[in-house]
Amino acid sequence: MARKNAKHRMVLSPQARTELETILGARYVTDDPALLSGYAWNTGVGKIPGGDKFAPIWPIAVVLPATTEEVAAVIKCCKRHGLSFRPHSTGYGSMGCVTSPDSICIDLRRMNHLEILPEDRMAVIGPYATANQLQAEAHKHGLACHVVGAGPSHSPLASATSLIGVGITSQFTSANMRNMLAWEWVTPEGEIIRGGSAASGMGWYASDGPGPGTRGLLRGFFGGGGGIGVFTRIGIKLFPINHKGKMETLGQVPQLRSPLPPNTALLHAIFPSYDAQRSATFDLLQDDVCTVLLRMPPNHVGWTLTESNAEFVRRTRDGTLPEPARPENSANWTILIASRSAAEHRWRHDTVREIVAHHGGRFAEMTTEEEGVLYHNLATSQYVPRVLRASGGITTSFGVLDSFHFLPKAVEMGEMMLAEDTAPGGDLCEGSPDEQWIWPHEGRYMWAENIIHFDATNEASRAAGARALIGHFAAQWKDPVGMTGLLVGPIQDVTGPRIGKAPAFARKVKTYFDKDDRSKTKEYVIPNMPPVVEKILPALRPVLSSAPVLHILSKLVGKNGI
Ligand SMILES: Cc1cc2nc3c(=O)[nH]c(=O)nc-3n(C[C@H](O)[C@H](O)[C@H](O)COP(=O)(O)OP(=O)(O)OC[C@H]3O[C@@H](n4cnc5c(N)ncnc54)[C@H](O)[C@@H]3O)c2cc1C
């Protein structure tokens, strides 16, 4: 059992500590508050902090296992001592913070296995192999991994097994929920299970092994968010690219840039309207000519192309921002074309130009340096850190995962949610009326998420961030724009029939594998919920989306964080 210390924080009992030290060695178990504080840091990256930037709940201890067997032994120890646990891969952002006062943080940084299998176009990775390392190793073989918008420092294993998985190159690198191959999993009871081809000792190349496929059951679109045990190794897909080896980098931080490899082009298409952009998109996808398509709001392009906030503000006032960063050019696609031969490149290039022109579009003027900066950030997925610097606090909206038919409506909804607060004098970071990032998945459907920039040091701004976040869900309930992608925790239950029986099903999975809710998180489903509550929650939608309730909820979040 955990006990409480003088400040009423739970502490590790001597018996539990001795057992953990026996499993891992004393060096890899700590409850030193100075170290624990590093695992309770909510800076406003991914979540909204309270006034002091610390998460309200700290882990009672942090343990660092090195093997799957050690992870299993730690989980069994937690069970014996009535403790909960939370897996932590790299902890980029605040999503890995523990959510109950009896939780141990299982930090997986010693498990950094990384093996490229080029002939099978895949890698086998552990939780602490970062996207940066995986990408660098893959490039040596003319391959690339999918890097989610979180950028190079996150864990592709955490992304593929447990948390979303969408990223700006999804047109050709798919999304991580679809890139996970065979997997190794320690259940919340401490049992080690392998799935897909790894279950038969055949290697890590296929997700659907003998018997029914279980990948969807374990993660679905959003992922278990640490609420369903610990994943310790996976196979992950890699994708062929048109060059090999180290990416050339020029310039100085923060304005790093990379020259485009041969037979590669970066274009920035601007359309007269979102309707025109939508029709052009259908043609571009039908002809399969673009390697990457990414729509960023113009101010985000501007933050990337300028060295500092001061430069961005000065050039906005002077009217000297490059074309892709100007507000009037918000219906846009940044297009990357990467071909294998000059002939293929000519065909792709001409086709893209023809389609854009056919839909009334044109291409922005850019200098080679600006093009190099955009290419560098696109290829390394560093956009988020570049864009984050504008305000220091960032979270995101509900996400639209649906047909490109919804593109104009998604932007309109994005504006409706943000325009007032991002206008001069508003409580959010001043910016474009909408902040939608949009891209296609596998040449077919659209992902859109409206980024919310707040000042993490200012309560009114944090409250505005919360208002926008909760307001997005409320708006989706009233007037749905396609399928809501980022449904997590209780929001799923309130959303109710629009997502079928997904939460009830996930609850069954959770309860089956983790009846005592030891794998504790707020990012999955509410476990053990009585069916009557399940029925009542959707009825709360009108109450929760009413203006007074939204106001109170956002004030509370602005003060205390989430
Ligand atoms: C600024 C920012 C931008 C982001 N942008 C995107 C984006 O564009 N697309 C996207 O998909 N995601 C995005 N994310 C979320 C991101 O996917 C995750 O942070 C990342 O993929 C997970 O890697 P991590 O090492 O940070 O995981 P952690 O923070 O360590 O963990 C993330 C979650 O997964 C659980 N978890 C971690 N490892 C394991 C494991 N081995 N077994 C079981 N559960 C585990 C944790 O408990 C936690 O719930 C963003 C996050 C931030 C902070």
Side-chain angles (χ1 to χ4, degrees):
M1 283 290 281
R3 301 173 308 161
K4 289 189 174 170
N5 69 8
K7 285 191 176 163
H8 309 293
R9 228 171 235 147
M10 292 191 132
V11 294
L12 198 61
S13 71
Q15 299 90 321
R17 175 203 294 275
T18 307
E19 279 184 38
L20 288 169
E21 288 183 351
T22 308
I23 297 164
L24 302 172
R27 184 176 159 73
Y28 298 116
V29 179
T30 186
D31 58 357
D32 178 342
L35 293 176
L36 297 186
S37 66
Y39 292 83
W41 192 226
N42 182 355
T43 54
V45 182
K47 290 203 171 183
I48 299 176
D52 67 2
K53 289 201 181 177
F54 277 112
I57 302 174
W58 293 26
I60 58 170
V62 177
V63 298
L64 286 89
T67 64
T68 305
E69 288 70 25
E70 285 183 0
V71 173
V74 166
I75 290 179
K76 285 182 179 154
C77 175
C78 288
K79 190 175 169 177
R80 278 194 298 281
H81 292 274
L83 298 171
S84 304
F85 63 87
R86 184 82 192 261
H88 177 289
S89 280
T90 75
Y92 179 68
S94 314
M95 276 77 99
C97 292
V98 304
T99 53
S100 74
D102 64 344
S103 280
I104 284 192
C105 170
I106 305 183
D107 181 343
L108 299 156
R109 75 183 56 222
R110 292 171 70 210
M111 301 178 69
N112 57 358
H113 183 89
L114 199 178
E115 183 188 353
I116 308 282
L117 302 172
E119 287 84 8
D120 299 333
R121 269 177 43 185
M122 59 170 287
V124 183
I125 53 170
Y128 202 70
T130 64
N132 185 27
Q133 292 164 329
L134 178 56
Q135 191 72 300
E137 292 304 317
H139 272 203
K140 290 179 187 167
H141 302 276
L143 296 168
C145 65
H146 176 65
V147 184
V148 303
S153 61
H154 78 278
S155 157
L157 178 142
S159 168
T161 61
S162 308
L163 206 70
I164 334 174
V166 296
I168 54 180
T169 58
S170 279
Q171 164 67 358
F172 96 102
T173 56
S174 188
N176 272 342
M177 70 288 289
R178 294 171 55 74
N179 290 336
M180 178 165 90
L181 300 170
W183 41 267
E184 181 179 74
W185 174 48
V186 185
T187 72
E189 298 275 312
E191 193 184 347
I192 300 171
I193 298 185
R194 293 199 173 101
S197 48
S200 332
M202 306 284 283
W204 297 81
Y205 60 88
S207 48
D208 302 308
T214 40
R215 182 175 51 155
L217 185 143
L218 285 178
R219 66 145 301 157
F221 179 77
F222 191 88
I228 185 139
V230 182
F231 293 89
T232 47
R233 191 168 289 209
I234 58 165
I236 190 159
K237 284 183 209 163
L238 299 175
F239 300 84
I241 50 175
N242 68 349
H243 57 282
K244 250 189 198 175
K246 202 169 164 191
M247 195 172 160
E248 195 182 341
T249 303
L250 306 170
Q252 280 192 332
V253 173
Q255 290 313 88
L256 296 177
R257 62 185 196 279
S258 295
L260 268 63
N263 298 321
T264 305
L266 188 113
L267 306 166
H268 191 85
I270 296 168
F271 297 91
S273 67
Y274 293 108
D275 285 335
Q277 181 176 3
R278 170 177 57 185
S279 334
T281 309
F282 287 126
D283 286 350
L284 290 167
L285 296 180
Q286 173 66 23
D287 282 356
D288 198 14
V289 274
C290 303
T291 309
V292 175
L293 280 163
L294 168 66
R295 186 269 178 174
M296 286 193 293
N299 58 319
H300 293 206
V301 182
W303 290 333
T304 310
L305 289 178
T306 52
E307 206 169 279
S308 63
N309 288 353
E311 186 194 338
F312 175 74
V313 172
R314 179 178 56 73
R315 293 184 63 183
T316 306
R317 287 190 183 141
D318 294 353
T320 57
L321 281 173
E323 272 202 291
R326 297 199 195 139
E328 64 272 23
N329 298 331
S330 57
N332 71 73
W333 279 128
T334 298
I335 300 174
L336 182 77
I337 307 170
S339 319
R340 275 154 214 290
S341 68
E344 183 193 345
H345 197 54
R346 255 194 320 277
W347 166 72
R348 284 183 180 233
H349 210 266
D350 290 352
T351 312
V352 168
R353 287 191 169 274
E354 205 173 291
I355 292 174
V356 170
H358 178 73
H359 292 279
R362 64 184 181 86
F363 292 93
E365 298 278 337
M366 273 192 284
T367 64
T368 311
E369 289 211 348
E370 287 161 355
E371 184 189 87
V373 171
L374 291 186
Y375 175 64
H376 181 84
N377 283 286
L378 185 75
T380 58
S381 202
Q382 306 245 31
Y383 272 123
V384 165
R386 293 294 290 123
V387 165
L388 180 64
R389 72 137 205 278
S391 72
I394 191 171
T395 187
T396 192
S397 68
F398 49 81
V400 178
L401 178 74
D402 215 309
S403 162
F404 271 99
H405 283 293
F406 286 102
L407 189 150
K409 208 169 168 201
V411 176
E412 193 186 302
M413 170 85 94
E415 273 195 33
M416 194 177 89
M417 301 313 307
L418 293 184
E420 203 174 305
D421 279 316
T422 55
D427 282 325
L428 294 177
C429 182
E430 195 176 314
S432 307
D434 82 281
E435 306 266 328
Q436 289 281 15
W437 284 54
I438 304 177
W439 59 75
H441 279 199
E442 299 176 340
R444 295 184 300 126
Y445 54 101
M446 174 180 84
W447 175 256
E449 59 181 304
N450 208 25
I451 308 296
I452 303 164
H453 280 96
F454 57 89
D455 177 352
T457 63
N458 176 311
E459 190 174 323
S461 185
R462 296 196 302 267
R467 192 164 59 238
L469 180 64
I470 309 165
H472 270 85
F473 288 107
Q476 267 292 71
W477 294 330
K478 279 190 195 143
D479 181 17
V481 183
M483 196 185 95
T484 311
L486 294 178
L487 283 170
V488 49
I491 293 281
Q492 297 178 65
D493 287 294
V494 179
T495 300
R498 266 183 63 71
I499 50 167
K501 294 190 184 304
F505 179 71
R507 207 169 352 266
K508 279 186 187 153
V509 174
K510 166 81 176 165
T511 314
Y512 179 82
F513 287 109
D514 189 16
K515 64 179 180 335
D516 299 326
D517 190 22
R518 298 251 166 264
S519 192
K520 197 90 90 193
T521 182
K522 287 191 177 149
E523 323 265 330
Y524 192 30
V525 275
I526 306 172
N528 304 317
M529 196 163 73
V532 58
V533 182
E534 211 169 73
K535 285 216 171 77
I536 290 170
L537 282 176
L540 292 180
R541 280 198 300 265
V543 182
L544 285 171
S545 51
S546 68
V549 174
L550 267 178
H551 180 73
I552 294 168
L553 281 177
S554 54
K555 282 244 170 217
L556 281 174
V557 174
K559 197 170 175 50
N560 304 311
I562 37 169

